[in-house]
């Protein structure tokens, strides 16, 4: 049973930093329950506003529906008493419905609806896809605007009018004109969050478009830095944001961009670099090379972000 109503959940999430915990895998690429639970315990010990289990950074695209349900349930058990936990849904419409129902049964407060699998679709198809998932759960639903799921302002408004539990719009396009239309049309009926890769880079300008929060992947391994960065964004402290971008975020992006798919690999690499167990990534992703991992560790050290116990 959810603790928050959908409206209460939206109000909780819109004014704090959000993150997607990585899913720990062992050497056989099976879920490492002990490592995952330890990571969730650590992640929920800081002032994050919400954790999304089995999402993109959690390699939800590699999880079976049964694994996804298990990952969400563990997240609720380990972190749900301290921070709202949300699940994720995607794939075919039937799979997304199953993900949504499994997520609610596991005790999650809501879910992020990922784009439908592979196929191109028009607005009516997107409306029906999201609508079926909203109908399948009583918890809050956030749509992810990216790839083949670009929701028009009118479609977003139609979903908001039709489903009380449709609460949020996450964007990974950065299309300013489109975002302006969505926000102008829907206003405070929804909350808006940034979801571009390494969202810190875009956080300050997107704040002006109504996106009061974003999902931080680097929160996984440098949570205090990520929270400080978010505070600077919300305070519109341009100097502090620029300093942190130069000191860590932009050099981090340079390493991330060396290999396609490093967006998740570098997060697990960051965990390993700070002395925590991130485990391996599942194919089709690939782990960081030893040299790239060494460069990441050196960057974390040079930026002053290495935990005391992990410094060398």
């Amino acid at each position: 049973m959810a603790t928050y109503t959908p409206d209460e959940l939206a109000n909780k999430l819109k004014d704090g930093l959000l993150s997607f915990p990585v899913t720990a895998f062992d050497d056989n690429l099976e879920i490492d329950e002990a490592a995952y639970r330890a990571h969730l315990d650590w992640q929920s010990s800081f002032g994050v506003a919400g954790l999304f289990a089995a999402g993109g950074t959690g390699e939800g695209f590699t999880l079976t529906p049964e694994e996804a349900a298990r990952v969400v349930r563990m997240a609720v058990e380990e972190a749900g008493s301290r921070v709202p936990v949300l699940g994720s849904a995607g794939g075919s419409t039937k799979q997304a419905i199953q993900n949504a129902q499994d997520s609610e049964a596991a005790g999650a407060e809501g879910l992020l609806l990922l784009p439908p699998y592979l196929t191109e679709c028009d607005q009516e198809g997107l409306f029906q896809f999201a609508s079926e998932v909203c109908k399948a759960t009583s918890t809050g639903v956030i749509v992810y605007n990216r790839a083949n799921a670009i929701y028009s302002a009118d479609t977003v408004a139609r979903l908001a009018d039709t489903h009380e539990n449709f609460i949020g719009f996450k964007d990974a396009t950065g299309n300013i004109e489109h975002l302006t239309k969505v926000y102008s049309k829907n206003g405070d009926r929804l909350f808006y969050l940034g979801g571009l890769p390494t969202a810190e880079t875009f956080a300050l300008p997107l704040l002006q478009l109504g996106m009061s929060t974003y999902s931080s992947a680097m929160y996984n391994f440098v949570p205090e830095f990520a929270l400080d960065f978010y505070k600077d964004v919300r305070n519109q402290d341009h100097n502090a944001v620029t300093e942190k971008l130069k000191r860590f975020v932009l050099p981090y992006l340079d390493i991330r961009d060396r290999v396609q798919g490093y967006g998740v690999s570098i997060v697990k690499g960051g965990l390993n670099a700070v002395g925590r167990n991130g485990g391996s990534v599942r194919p089709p992703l690939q782990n960081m090379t030893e040299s790239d991992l060494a460069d990441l560790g050196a960057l974390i050290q040079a930026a002053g972000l290495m935990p005391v116990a992990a410094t060398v």
Side-chain angles (χ1 to χ4, degrees), residues 187-211:
D188 293 338
R189 167 62 180 83
L190 304 172
F191 84 101
Y192 307 85
L193 57 152
L196 283 156
T198 310
E200 280 81 359
T201 316
F202 308 90
L204 193 56
L206 289 184
L207 181 66
Q208 308 303 315
L209 297 178
M211 294 198 158

Side-chain angles (χ1 to χ4, degrees), residues 47-232:
V48 70
L51 295 174
F52 291 72
T57 306
E59 294 175 79
F61 47 87
T62 75
L63 301 175
T64 66
E66 293 76 19
E67 286 178 323
R70 180 184 170 203
V71 164
V72 174
R73 184 173 297 280
M74 286 191 287
V76 171
E77 290 171 352
E78 289 299 325
S81 63
R82 287 182 278 185
V83 60
V85 171
L86 294 87
S88 303
S92 69
T93 303
K94 285 197 171 187
Q95 180 180 322
I97 288 170
Q98 180 179 347
N99 290 150
Q101 292 173 337
D102 289 345
S103 178
E104 183 169 2
E109 303 287 351
L111 74 148
L112 177 68
L113 179 59
L114 302 169
Y117 176 70
L118 192 61
T119 188
E120 294 79 11
C121 43
D122 211 335
Q123 292 303 306
E124 180 61 27
L126 283 176
F127 172 80
Q128 294 298 337
F129 172 69
S131 190
E132 289 300 311
V133 174
C134 286
K135 288 189 293 186
T137 179
S138 64
T139 61
V141 176
I142 301 160
V143 295
Y144 201 173
N145 188 71
R146 66 176 298 167
N148 60 326
I150 305 301
Y151 295 83
S152 72
D154 288 340
T155 299
V156 173
R158 186 180 172 195
L159 287 167
D161 289 342
T162 306
H163 303 285
E164 291 185 3
N165 64 329
F166 173 54
I167 62 171
F169 180 86
K170 181 178 181 180
D171 177 71
T173 70
N175 184 321
I176 293 175
E177 180 177 339
H178 181 66
L179 297 178
T180 300
K181 289 178 180 178
V182 171
Y183 183 76
S184 297
K185 181 82 173 181
N186 294 276
D188 293 338
R189 167 62 180 83
L190 304 172
F191 84 101
Y192 307 85
L193 57 152
L196 283 156
T198 310
E200 280 81 359
T201 316
F202 308 90
L204 193 56
L206 289 184
L207 181 66
Q208 308 303 315
L209 297 178
M211 294 198 158
S212 60
T213 185
Y214 55 88
S215 57
S216 172
M218 64 179 61
Y219 176 84
N220 273 275
F221 63 96
V222 283
E224 292 169 308
F225 174 85
L227 287 166
D228 285 344
F229 193 104
Y230 177 72
K231 181 179 178 181
D232 292 337

Side-chain angles (χ1 to χ4, degrees), residues 191-273:
F191 84 101
Y192 307 85
L193 57 152
L196 283 156
T198 310
E200 280 81 359
T201 316
F202 308 90
L204 193 56
L206 289 184
L207 181 66
Q208 308 303 315
L209 297 178
M211 294 198 158
S212 60
T213 185
Y214 55 88
S215 57
S216 172
M218 64 179 61
Y219 176 84
N220 273 275
F221 63 96
V222 283
E224 292 169 308
F225 174 85
L227 287 166
D228 285 344
F229 193 104
Y230 177 72
K231 181 179 178 181
D232 292 337
V233 169
R234 289 302 301 267
N235 289 335
Q236 299 190 57
D237 188 336
H238 291 250
N239 290 335
V241 168
T242 300
E243 187 277 327
K244 288 179 174 63
L245 286 171
K246 290 181 177 179
R247 173 159 54 98
F248 181 69
V249 178
L250 297 180
Y252 170 85
L253 296 185
D254 289 340
I255 299 173
R256 183 205 67 187
D257 291 342
R258 291 176 183 175
V259 174
Q260 290 282 348
Y262 258 13
V264 176
S265 307
I266 196 171
V267 177
K268 286 192 167 181
L271 274 166
N272 293 329

